[in-house]
Amino acid sequence: MSEKVELPYPTTPTEIGEHTVSFITSGVAAGGTAEVQADQVKIIEDAGWTVDGPYDGEFTPSLQGTLIEQAVLRGVDGIILYSIPPETVPAAVKSAQEAGIPIVCSFCQPTQPTEGVTLIGETAESLVTPQIPVILADLNKDDATIVVVRFENNTVEANTSEQIRLIEEQCPDCKVETIVFSVSDLGKPTVPAYVNMLREYPEGELDAVIAPFNPAATSLINTAEQAGRDDFRIHVTFGDAEIGQQIESGEHAPLLAGSVIESPIFKGYAIVDALARVFNDQEVPDYSNLPGAPIMQQNAGEYLNDDGRWETDEMKAKFYEQWGLSD
């Protein structure tokens, strides 16, 4: 945890120009998505581009595909997808390709490379590889019982599979179980699956739960605290600003222990940089394997700004330098 995570900044200049780009996201109801969308839209607009949208494709591929098709008909210069893997909307992606409209897709892993689509974000490997050793060190127990929470999303499922594989590899005597957090559980203060889990694992029989993102963690915290339970540790994957601040301040400790954070701010700049280079027929830096940073209370302050976001003082300046813009 003492190792500083480095982000891959661009090192060659590109022209930003003036463009209109459509921003289409999946599941604004999932906690953190709305704030990610707002942060990235602001970065795009500050760079001088016009944002068509943003539009919420909810959790429905047919709606997401329709929004992409409509953007194609409006003749936008580029399309930004958030958490909409290209293979789930193949006909709409093909329409954009045939119209010569480039697509960048953030938080879209795992996916096979798709012509005309530039991936921006973390892989399951880059995100959870540093997470599991932190969780196991935090537990310091060779036969821990760990529950991994699943969610019906390609990216989350890839993370879950990698987490289970790494735990089994690094702690062969640990017991790993899974439960499901569903779309219908979003926004609920308590979740039946969590109630059943706490009943199945009474005090002293559960060591840790890995939640896939903020709403799943928040519901679990509420359920556990209402039951008077703080005997296990909660670690979050894709923890948002609120979770990060709670970890840094010690709120919900010792229950809420840690998270792996990503930088939507960095990805906002990477979206602009990647599209600009595609527009200019330049090589695009590899933004498809961005690192995650594991945080606990001990090191959260090294990454989080006052708003709970991972944003360094140099982030904007380093991109603007390559874009020829004044900070």
Side-chain angles (χ1 to χ4, degrees), residues 35-36 39 241 261 265 303-311:
E35 74 180 27
V36 167
D39 286 343
I261 61 170
I265 304 291
Y303 290 94
L304 304 180
N305 64 13
D306 292 340
D307 295 324
R309 289 154 168 77
W310 180 6
E311 181 181 16

Side-chain angles (χ1 to χ4, degrees), residues 188-228:
K188 293 184 178 179
T190 58
V191 173
Y194 291 154
V195 174
N196 293 335
M197 177 189 71
L198 296 181
R199 187 181 297 118
E200 180 179 353
Y201 296 100
E203 189 166 344
E205 295 187 14
L206 177 63
D207 296 293
V209 178
I210 305 176
F213 45 67
N214 179 59
T218 300
S219 296
L220 177 55
I221 292 168
N222 291 336
T223 304
E225 290 182 340
Q226 288 178 18

